[in-house]
Amino acid sequence: MHWDVVWNNFDYFLWGAYPKGPLGGLAMSILMALGGIFGAFWLGLLIGVCRLSKRVWLRAPAMVYIEIIRGTPLLMVIFWFYFLAPVIMGKSLPDWQSAIIALIVFTSAYIAEIVRAGVLSLPKGQMEAARGSGLSHVQTMIYIILPQALFNMIPSFVNQFVSLTKDTSLAYIIGVSELTKTATQVNSRTMKAPFEIFITVAALYFLVCFVLTELSRRLETKINRYQARGR
Amino acid sequence: MKRLATALTAILVLAFLVSPAFAGKIEDIKKRGTLVAGVKDSQPPFGYVDEKTNQIVGFEIDIMKFLADKLGVKLDVKAVTSSTRIPMLTQGEVDIVAATMTHKKDREGQIDFSITYFMTGQRLLVKKGGPIKSVKDLASKKIGSVKGSTSEQNAKKAEPTATIVSFETYPEAFLALKQGKVEAVTTDEAILVGLKYSDEKPEAWDIVGDYISPEPYGFGLIENDSKFRDFVNVSLMEMWESGEYKKVYDKWFGKDTKNYIPLTWTMELWP
């Protein structure tokens, strides 16, 4: 076994060429994941609520968006966004930025469906009671429906976010120097330790995803105390 | 669905047609102060990440440095892959592509090429002392190569009865050879040499057979910018004539390196 290869390049796996060069490795993966999760949550929430709207000019675009994105492999979304961005926006984006945007666009479509399912799973009476008490539709959504629905969605969100974290590895296709890319670079230079290198990489991904799951589990227990149970 | 596909294709085609206009690469580069070169980061010794400095180094990077110095600008390298190098060039993300790219006629429609700066050919990497001496011995056997590469197609043409097993990268193909999943790995000799000598026991492997196909490498340049292309071509010839090329070549492929490939070809020199 050649664990020395992994050991000698461990700093490169963790933060790439930084500080002498651009940030890379696991640090870049985590950064992309965090940016992706934050953006995808808000965009997904917005699109999900639009998808539920009674107004067709809100509902239809949201539906088209969701269907198109869900029918496209993430690899293609990343690849195409990278080359379409300069055409749409008139200037090219750094590779990691366009990868984050692609991740946000992709994951938000799934988040939107989770939001829809979460809202629909609430008893109809919630909406009726709130409207009956004089709240507007938007107010009801923000103060009554979403807080309850979002809690029920946490397990699905976590699923999606863990998946997004692992999906950052696909950014290698446009040359983002994230964890998978750094591993490939080291592997093709040394070539004697593919198992050791990729086992290490797998362990690092697992660690990040495990921490993410653990945090959400704590959050769930915490909110659970305030949640009314049963109907 | 069909209509949607047509619409999507139209958008994509449009996207590539509306690539940014340029006002002469040399002016652009001088104004910017950097030459942006698209290079490989996983292809020792052409371009790879150095273990000590974590920077991209290699044979192609050194030639790019020579060009940047001549222009009086700094060199900025950007990692590209075989699938991104041509779009990145046509979109102006990089000024020049130096990424082990074979100069092929059917690529001429998209980009221009410099003169040949490295000459190699496709051969076979096999277990030493084994039954395989040439591509003919691979009849109805398995050959490892890389997805979408020209080597894959050439091997199939040279020995139609052989099965080509395609991997994502060459190290993977080599691993399959070591584990006996394929009988040979085929690609450019220069890459095979890199594979062979990166192994712990290089003497266990052999590079055999005649050239299945010649593989002249050229730098990728944007179409219709003859001023920049002339600059690159003339600089390459200058490098060759002054002995600078030999110096750089020996640094990466010379006798003292583990990637020893004798310099057996001559650059095309214009009078």
Side-chain angles (χ1 to χ4, degrees):
Chain A
M1 295 299 255
H2 290 282
W3 290 102
D4 55 310
V5 174
V6 171
W7 183 242
N8 291 338
N9 294 291
F10 206 64
D11 61 328
Y12 191 63
F13 292 153
L14 289 185
W15 50 74
Y18 191 80
K20 272 187 288 179
L23 191 71
L26 185 64
M28 179 53 99
S29 297
I30 293 177
L31 218 69
M32 285 203 300
L34 290 179
I37 289 172
F38 183 80
F41 176 76
W42 291 109
L43 185 63
L45 193 60
L46 183 74
I47 294 170
V49 172
C50 287
R51 173 76 180 76
L52 282 164
S53 172
K54 285 200 175 68
R55 298 188 178 86
V56 71
W57 53 271
L58 275 176
R59 193 174 63 229
M63 219 165 112
V64 170
Y65 178 88
I66 292 168
E67 292 306 324
I68 289 184
I69 300 294
R70 280 205 308 188
T72 320
L74 176 55
L75 202 64
M76 297 304 278
V77 177
I78 292 175
F79 196 70
W80 279 117
F81 189 80
Y82 186 55
F83 291 115
L84 278 177
V87 182
I88 301 166
M89 306 199 288
K91 62 171 185 169
S92 57
L93 281 175
D95 42 21
W96 62 272
Q97 283 185 13
S98 64
I100 288 182
I101 296 177
L103 285 170
I104 290 175
V105 165
F106 186 78
T107 309
S108 65
Y110 291 85
I111 297 286
E113 285 297 274
I114 294 173
V115 168
R116 185 163 77 102
V119 169
L120 290 182
S121 73
L122 287 180
K124 259 203 155 109
Q126 294 285 326
M127 174 62 97
E128 284 161 6
R131 292 303 299 275
S133 75
L135 291 175
S136 73
H137 182 86
V138 176
Q139 281 173 325
T140 310
M141 259 305 172
I142 295 174
Y143 297 117
I144 310 292
I145 304 291
L146 284 180
Q148 300 183 69
L150 287 176
F151 172 77
N152 293 339
M153 296 175 215
I154 290 178
S156 313
F157 279 148
V158 174
N159 223 349
Q160 208 56 50
F161 292 152
V162 166
S163 168
L164 182 143
T165 307
K166 291 182 290 181
D167 284 345
T168 56
S169 64
L170 292 176
Y172 84 93
I173 192 173
I174 54 172
V176 181
S177 168
E178 41 68 58
L179 183 55
T180 308
K181 179 96 181 168
T182 53
T184 317
Q185 287 170 339
V186 172
N187 182 41
S188 28
R189 183 185 61 222
T190 53
M191 254 181 277
K192 58 182 179 184
F195 301 113
E196 293 84 339
I197 289 172
F198 287 105
I199 285 172
T200 308
V201 166
L204 287 174
Y205 275 117
F206 171 77
L207 211 68
V208 172
C209 294
F210 184 74
V211 168
L212 191 61
T213 323
E214 197 51 41
L215 283 177
S216 73
R217 202 169 291 151
R218 288 205 185 152
L219 179 73
E220 223 173 320
T221 346
K222 219 167 168 181
I223 305 177
N224 220 351
R225 289 188 293 181
Y226 305 105
Q227 187 78 1
R229 283 275 142 203
R231 291 204 177 123
Chain B
M1 199 55 224
K2 203 166 177 188
R3 202 182 296 164
L4 183 69
T6 324
L8 277 179
T9 321
I11 293 171
L12 301 183
V13 168
L14 204 71
F16 276 106
L17 287 180
V18 202
S19 17
F22 60 93
K25 272 283 167 212
I26 294 191
E27 286 77 30
D28 282 359
I29 293 164
K30 284 197 169 149
K31 209 159 66 185
R32 204 189 308 132
T34 48
L35 171 72
V36 186
V39 300
K40 288 269 179 92
D41 62 1
S42 307
Q43 198 76 270
F46 289 95
Y48 65 98
V49 178
D50 184 54
E51 180 157 13
K52 288 198 187 72
T53 63
N54 288 343
Q55 306 292 314
I56 300 181
V57 296
F59 172 70
E60 283 167 339
I61 285 85
D62 280 358
I63 297 184
M64 288 297 113
K65 249 183 221 142
F66 180 85
L67 293 184
D69 286 349
K70 246 193 109 186
L71 284 166
V73 295
K74 277 202 298 203
L75 175 68
D76 188 7
V77 292
K78 212 166 180 179
V80 297
T81 63
S82 298
S83 46
T84 59
R85 59 191 175 189
I86 290 178
M88 279 178 83
L89 181 66
T90 54
Q91 297 237 327
E93 301 271 330
V94 296
D95 299 318
I96 182 168
V97 167
T100 57
M101 182 158 57
T102 303
H103 187 169
K104 293 170 71 74
K105 269 189 242 122
D106 58 9
R107 283 180 177 147
E108 280 285 352
Q110 297 161 293
I111 57 170
D112 279 353
F113 280 89
S114 73
I115 54 171
T116 303
Y117 67 91
F118 191 88
M119 186 69 201
T120 181
Q122 187 181 342
R123 295 183 77 193
L124 301 168
L125 180 68
V126 297
K127 209 175 184 113
K128 196 170 205 151
I132 289 135
K133 298 276 176 272
S134 80
V135 71
K136 287 291 151 214
D137 299 328
L138 283 162
S140 48
K141 292 209 165 80
K142 285 184 180 159
I143 313 177
S145 192
V146 161
K147 260 179 216 160
S149 67
T150 49
S151 321
E152 197 184 357
Q153 300 151 22
N154 295 336
K156 191 81 203 161
K157 231 180 281 165
E159 186 47 66
T161 63
T163 313
I164 314 289
V165 187
S166 291
F167 298 89
E168 208 54 60
T169 62
Y170 289 109
E172 280 170 37
F174 188 34
L175 197 63
L177 175 67
K178 283 191 208 171
Q179 297 181 341
K181 293 193 178 94
V182 296
E183 300 285 328
V185 173
T186 184
T187 185
D188 306 347
E189 182 177 17
I191 298 174
L192 292 180
V193 169
L195 283 180
K196 177 177 163 178
Y197 286 101
S198 64
D199 192 50
E200 280 174 280
K201 293 194 211 80
E203 64 280 358
W205 310 99
D206 225 351
I207 296 168
V208 298
D210 297 329
Y211 278 176
I212 298 171
S213 75
E215 304 281 340
Y217 292 169
F219 295 130
L221 305 160
I222 198 138
E223 286 236 284
N224 305 328
D225 190 339
S226 65
K227 217 173 135 196
F228 187 47
R229 197 171 59 237
D230 286 348
F231 165 77
V232 173
N233 285 343
V234 170
S235 302
L236 276 173
M237 290 179 227
E238 268 178 36
M239 258 188 109
W240 183 276
E241 283 164 336
S242 68
E244 177 72 20
Y245 180 92
K246 181 94 170 76
K247 226 163 72 192
V248 173
Y249 187 93
D250 284 344
K251 178 176 162 195
W252 300 102
F253 298 100
K255 269 206 174 69
D256 305 329
T257 68
K258 57 179 194 168
N259 298 299
Y260 176 53
I261 305 173
L263 186 57
T264 51
W265 62 282
T266 1
M267 193 178 279
E268 167 199 355
L269 296 173
W270 305 337

